[in-house]
Amino acid sequence: MFFKEFFYFSKSDRKVILFLFLCFVVGLLLVRWMNRQPLSVDDTSGTEQVKTSSRGHQHREREYDLQELEAIKPTLQLSPFDPNTATAQQLLALGLQPWQVKNILKYRAKGGIYRQPSDFAKVYGLTRKHYLMIEPYICISDDYRPAAELFAEVKEERTTRRDTLLQPFKISEGQQVMLNTADTTQLKKVPGIGSYFARQIVRYRERLGGFVDVNQLKEIDDFPTDALRFFALSPTDASSIQPLNLNQLTLNQLKRHPYIGFYRAKAIVDYRRLHGDLRSLADLKLIPEITDEWIARIQPYVVF
């Protein structure tokens, strides 16, 4: 039908149609001829690179395949882990569901970072009970903290200097401030102590449960040692120390003390589970994390 209708067009229209048809045929032949040309060395290497890249992509996809994750059957075991680097097997061993692990791996592949334990609580489907169970085992490396924090201390230090200069009243040589009872206003009266270090002293005092030695202030980063002579402890301070009952506190409560941390807290809890209540710190001496030096530091703070 189309062949007969072709002759109903005018002569000029038929020429245009024939020209377009000829261009199409020539283009088709040219494409077929180019496809038959042998690949050059560069083209071949490029193709291999594409194939290699394709294989790499497929490998990454296989890592996130839900069926493969479901096929992994690890033994359930709570152990320290970094959510930014933990493998699928480690995450599954924590009791997480395969689809939750898949979402975590996808989040990390897109550049997501868990900067603090509370970030991990946002994992979809994670219950409050499950999070509280694994939270003590979350150990996030400092490498994943924001880079801006590197300059925060410098900024605070500048603020401290400025605040110290503006403070019109400082105690004189020979005068002292009671370390365990002074508030930030009184602490700022010490030469060299501004708002920043006054806050750090109060925070560290709360974490310790009270100071038993003025030299413990050296445990605060960059603390000005020249200011130590302006602090003193009252004879009654020993009775005001907040005690730690090593036989009653949970792992999460124990690890918050600056002298204990996660690994010693876990060792204490494991000892209680295997051997019963502690009678003295000497019971812990067989644990590698426990040293005589550590026992001397923690002794004023513990009860049984």
Side-chain angles (χ1 to χ4, degrees):
M1 294 294 296
F2 177 77
F3 181 75
K4 292 180 180 180
E5 293 174 353
F6 175 75
F7 292 99
Y8 287 100
F9 291 102
S10 64
K11 186 175 182 181
S12 59
D13 290 339
R14 291 199 299 271
K15 287 182 179 181
V16 172
I17 294 172
L18 288 173
F19 176 76
L20 293 175
F21 179 74
L22 182 61
C23 290
F24 173 76
V25 173
V26 171
L28 183 63
L29 293 175
L30 183 61
V31 170
R32 290 174 61 87
W33 177 79
M34 292 179 65
N35 288 338
R36 292 180 180 179
Q37 294 296 314
L39 291 174
S40 64
V41 176
D42 292 339
D43 292 338
T44 303
S45 62
T47 303
E48 291 177 352
Q49 291 176 357
V50 171
K51 290 181 179 178
T52 302
S53 175
S54 177
R55 286 195 298 269
H57 177 70
Q58 292 174 357
H59 177 68
R60 290 194 296 272
E61 289 296 328
R62 286 198 296 271
E63 290 180 351
Y64 307 133
D65 186 79
L66 186 58
Q67 293 181 348
E68 290 189 358
L69 290 173
E70 291 175 344
I72 301 174
K73 303 294 183 182
T75 303
L76 294 181
Q77 180 181 4
L78 295 179
S79 59
F81 74 100
D82 187 334
N84 293 300
T85 57
T87 63
Q89 289 81 357
Q90 289 176 309
L91 294 172
L92 289 170
L94 295 168
L96 295 172
Q97 296 298 319
W99 57 269
Q100 290 177 313
V101 174
K102 179 181 178 181
N103 290 338
I104 293 170
L105 297 177
K106 279 188 175 181
Y107 174 73
R108 291 187 340 202
K110 292 179 180 180
I113 295 175
Y114 299 96
R115 302 187 187 277
Q116 52 191 358
S118 59
D119 292 342
F120 195 71
K122 300 176 184 178
V123 172
Y124 182 73
L126 188 63
T127 65
R128 174 185 174 89
K129 179 180 178 181
H130 196 175
Y131 173 75
L132 292 176
M133 181 177 64
I134 64 177
E135 190 268 340
Y137 299 92
I138 300 176
C139 302
I140 298 177
S141 171
D142 288 343
D143 295 340
Y144 295 99
R145 293 173 61 185
E149 292 186 5
L150 293 173
F151 306 96
E153 294 183 1
V154 176
K155 183 178 179 180
E156 290 280 7
E157 188 175 327
R158 291 175 180 172
T159 304
T160 300
R161 291 174 181 173
R162 186 164 56 250
D163 181 67
T164 302
L165 292 174
L166 293 176
Q167 182 67 279
F169 173 73
K170 292 288 183 179
I171 61 176
S172 57
E173 195 70 36
Q175 293 181 310
Q176 292 180 317
V177 170
M178 292 296 105
L179 184 55
N180 277 331
T181 56
D183 57 20
T184 54
T185 301
Q186 293 172 314
L187 292 171
K188 286 191 291 184
K189 294 179 181 179
V190 174
I193 302 299
S195 297
Y196 172 73
F197 280 116
R199 291 195 302 268
Q200 293 301 311
I201 292 171
V202 172
R203 289 173 186 170
Y204 197 56
R205 184 174 66 195
E206 292 173 352
R207 292 180 61 202
L208 282 172
F211 291 99
V212 295
D213 190 329
V214 171
N215 288 314
Q216 286 177 288
L217 290 172
K218 295 179 182 179
E219 297 166 8
I220 299 175
D221 291 340
D222 301 323
F223 188 84
T225 55
D226 291 342
L228 292 176
R229 66 182 184 275
F230 294 100
F231 293 99
L233 293 172
S234 169
T236 60
D237 284 349
S239 60
S240 63
I241 296 296
Q242 298 178 12
L244 299 171
N245 193 316
L246 299 186
N247 288 324
Q248 295 180 359
L249 297 179
T250 65
L251 184 148
N252 201 33
Q253 292 171 323
L254 288 170
K255 75 171 188 176
R256 292 173 183 167
H257 196 277
Y259 292 168
I260 298 180
F262 172 79
Y263 291 104
R264 290 194 182 97
K266 186 175 185 303
I268 293 170
V269 172
D270 289 343
Y271 181 92
R272 288 180 351 208
R273 177 170 52 84
L274 296 173
H275 304 287
D277 288 348
L278 294 162
R279 290 170 297 178
S280 69
L281 289 173
D283 294 341
L284 301 173
K285 283 190 174 181
L286 295 179
I287 300 174
E289 291 84 356
I290 307 301
T291 62
D292 292 336
E293 181 183 358
W294 179 81
I295 290 177
R297 293 178 70 194
I298 198 68
Q299 184 71 57
Y301 296 99
V302 300
V303 293
F304 301 96

